[in-house]
Amino acid sequence: MTILNLATTSENEIVRQAVKTLKAGDLIIYPTETVYGLGVDATNQEAVSKLMRFKARREGKPLSIAVSDKAMAQKYVRLNEQAVNLYQQFLPGPITVVSEGLGQVAKGVESEFGTLGVRIPDYPLVIEIVRALGKPITATSANVSGKPRPYDVETIFKYTSKKQQTLIDLVLDAGRLPKNPPSTVIDTTLSTPLTMRQGNVNVSTLNLKSPTPNSQLPTPNFITNNPQETRQLAGKLLLKHWQDLQETGLVFALSGALGAGKTTFTQGLARYLNINEPVTSPTYTYMTEYDWQKNEAYGKLHHLDLWRIDDPKILERLEIDRLIKPYNLVVIEWWQQGEQELKEVVKAKNARLVEVKLEDVGDERRKVVVK
Ligand code: ADP
Ligand code: MG
């Protein structure tokens, strides 16, 4: 492993060594305006596999890529109007814009939805390296999954094994970086931008004239045009809350009239969890239980339907609090039937609650409000 001190090495030399390493399919650690990143040629399958070995236990989380400019981005993703707006306003900068991928990167870089996160770091040296390479590099943070964010090289080494460290070929050491949060990640492939991760930039305020407190931001509100889009939206929301699922357990509270799409939405959650059994409304049973496994993670999906519950005693007997725990996804149709009691239950368990209201707005269109 070579460690280059950026303060004492010429830019030409840094770029030359970085490009050489990347071309060889090897791994570099590089500074950005957020955290240290882990870079390999994003089009090189072996290099990406090597990176995955370093990260360990990613559990299917997609990677993102760093490009030098919008023109390079367009070789790898299809930019729609939402995306173009974000590029114009924020890039280079601490935003990862997720678009529909064109299948031009190594396997495992795009998400299972076929989407790809793209970043143009506000760090001229990195842009220079990517430009000189002529291809995007991966832009994942340089820590092992679940370990502290890497603001200096010492921290990266502290939390990695000797074996992992042998996977790193070149470190561009810029010293301690300012503790900026990781980039804001925005999926632009839905009817409305979906913030997958909140960093310094708050995209919900984009179109508002003056700064607005978080509490007054409009609730995200999506339109799906067919059942398939509703299932996709469900999967993307589950990806967004993947960490919550593992840490506290996750409750999806679905409300909406008969036929609004609550069960269809649940099918999307189940598909994301690799559940192959058909998911139907448990209307005559109150609850159906499924086992799921995704990469190295596994747990249960509890699918409840409160439609016929008119007696709070039945609600109690379901012992929903016992279902809520890390790695369990609890999905409750007809949430409105037990909303008050259940909110308390979820709160007491400190679990993440995602409330979803579905509404039939004509033809195959559904309005989906997520809170
Ligand atoms: P619920 O569980 O809310 O009663 P279901 O999901 O069982 O609703 O049924 C919704 C029905 O509406 C399904 O037959 C589905 O195919 C149809 N549908 C049409 N368009 C959509 C859409 N955009 N999203 C979800 N379902 C849709
Ligand atoms: Mg249903």
Side-chain angles (χ1 to χ4, degrees):
M1 181 199 316
T2 310
I3 301 181
L4 286 183
N5 182 338
L6 297 198
T8 57
T9 317
S10 76
E11 177 165 327
N12 275 347
E13 180 58 16
I14 299 164
V15 172
R16 193 187 65 79
Q17 289 218 32
V19 168
K20 190 175 137 216
T21 306
L22 291 163
K23 277 197 172 149
D26 289 329
L27 236 137
I28 68 169
I29 286 180
Y30 62 95
T32 73
E33 81 279 34
T34 60
V35 297
Y36 275 93
L38 200 54
V40 296
D41 174 349
T43 67
N44 180 331
Q45 191 64 59
E46 270 180 43
V48 168
S49 305
K50 193 170 166 186
L51 178 144
M52 298 293 198
R53 282 207 298 285
F54 178 89
K55 290 288 279 186
R57 283 187 70 86
R58 297 250 327 142
E59 323 224 298
K61 267 205 295 182
L63 297 166
S64 50
I65 60 172
V67 299
S68 53
D69 51 34
K70 187 171 139 205
M72 186 187 278
Q74 283 175 305
K75 294 184 186 157
Y76 297 90
V77 288
R78 185 165 292 121
L79 298 184
N80 61 16
E81 202 185 318
Q82 271 181 43
V84 168
N85 279 337
L86 291 173
Y87 275 66
Q88 270 164 5
Q89 291 189 62
F90 291 107
L91 298 185
I95 286 211
T96 301
V97 181
V98 177
S99 295
E100 187 191 328
L102 298 176
Q104 299 297 313
V105 287
K107 225 172 93 247
V109 181
E110 290 185 354
S111 76
E112 62 193 81
F113 305 108
T115 56
L116 177 59
V118 178
R119 190 159 139 52
I120 305 178
D122 191 9
Y123 207 97
L125 174 70
V126 177
I127 295 185
E128 221 25 73
I129 291 169
V130 173
R131 187 173 292 137
L133 180 69
K135 290 178 196 179
I137 63 173
T138 53
T140 182
S141 64
N143 55 324
V144 172
S145 302
K147 297 297 180 206
R149 284 177 195 151
Y151 292 105
D152 58 64
V153 172
E154 292 72 32
T155 305
I156 300 169
F157 289 150
K158 185 172 162 195
Y159 291 100
T160 48
S161 65
K162 286 270 168 310
K163 198 169 149 206
Q164 280 169 314
Q165 287 167 24
T166 61
L167 295 169
I168 302 168
D169 294 276
L170 178 65
V171 179
L172 308 184
D173 189 354
R176 187 177 296 273
L177 304 176
K179 292 217 162 163
N180 294 322
S183 64
T184 296
V185 180
I186 300 150
D187 188 332
T188 62
T189 63
L190 298 155
S191 62
T192 309
L194 170 62
T195 303
M196 301 296 282
R197 179 177 76 192
Q198 183 72 65
N200 261 344
V201 181
N202 188 339
V203 174
S204 355
T205 54
L206 282 188
N207 303 319
L208 304 172
K209 296 275 183 304
S210 55
T212 309
N214 264 324
S215 58
Q216 285 170 30
L217 290 176
T219 326
N221 179 330
F222 303 89
I223 297 288
T224 62
N225 292 301
N226 50 56
Q228 187 44 32
E229 284 188 14
T230 299
R231 293 187 195 102
Q232 281 248 342
L233 172 60
K236 287 172 180 174
L237 288 169
L238 183 48
L239 170 61
K240 169 172 176 160
H241 292 290
W242 195 242
Q243 192 119 358
D244 297 322
L245 174 67
Q246 303 192 353
E247 283 170 5
T248 64
L250 189 58
V251 177
F252 268 84
L254 310 184
S255 48
L258 193 70
K262 299 181 293 298
T263 301
T264 305
F265 187 94
T266 310
Q267 289 165 353
L269 298 173
R271 177 176 302 174
Y272 189 76
L273 295 172
N274 296 329
I275 292 168
N276 293 320
E277 299 134 81
V279 171
T280 54
S281 261
T283 303
Y284 299 99
T285 49
Y286 299 130
M287 173 154 62
T288 316
E289 180 186 305
Y290 306 84
D291 289 308
W292 64 265
Q293 176 166 16
K294 194 174 174 78
N295 307 301
E296 287 117 74
Y298 55 90
K300 288 194 186 303
L301 163 64
H302 295 284
H303 182 198
L304 287 83
D305 191 315
L306 308 184
W307 166 241
R308 287 191 314 139
I309 292 190
D310 38 20
D311 181 350
K313 284 225 176 57
I314 303 182
L315 200 58
E316 263 171 49
R317 232 180 294 143
L318 289 173
E319 298 190 291
I320 292 174
D321 60 322
R322 290 190 23 191
L323 307 176
I324 303 174
K325 56 181 179 195
Y327 291 96
N328 275 7
L329 174 61
V330 179
V331 181
I332 305 179
E333 293 194 35
W334 291 101
W335 170 254
Q336 60 269 45
Q337 294 277 95
E339 181 168 354
Q340 269 165 12
E341 299 91 321
L342 290 175
K343 259 197 172 147
E344 291 305 315
V345 171
V346 179
K347 211 167 156 195
K349 292 297 249 179
N350 259 321
R352 168 72 76 169
L353 175 66
V354 183
E355 291 174 80
V356 179
K357 285 202 173 72
L358 294 123
E359 187 189 340
D360 187 338
V361 290
D363 300 324
E364 292 217 289
R365 288 157 51 88
R366 299 292 188 272
K367 181 173 157 193
V368 186
V369 182
V370 182
K371 197 163 87 185

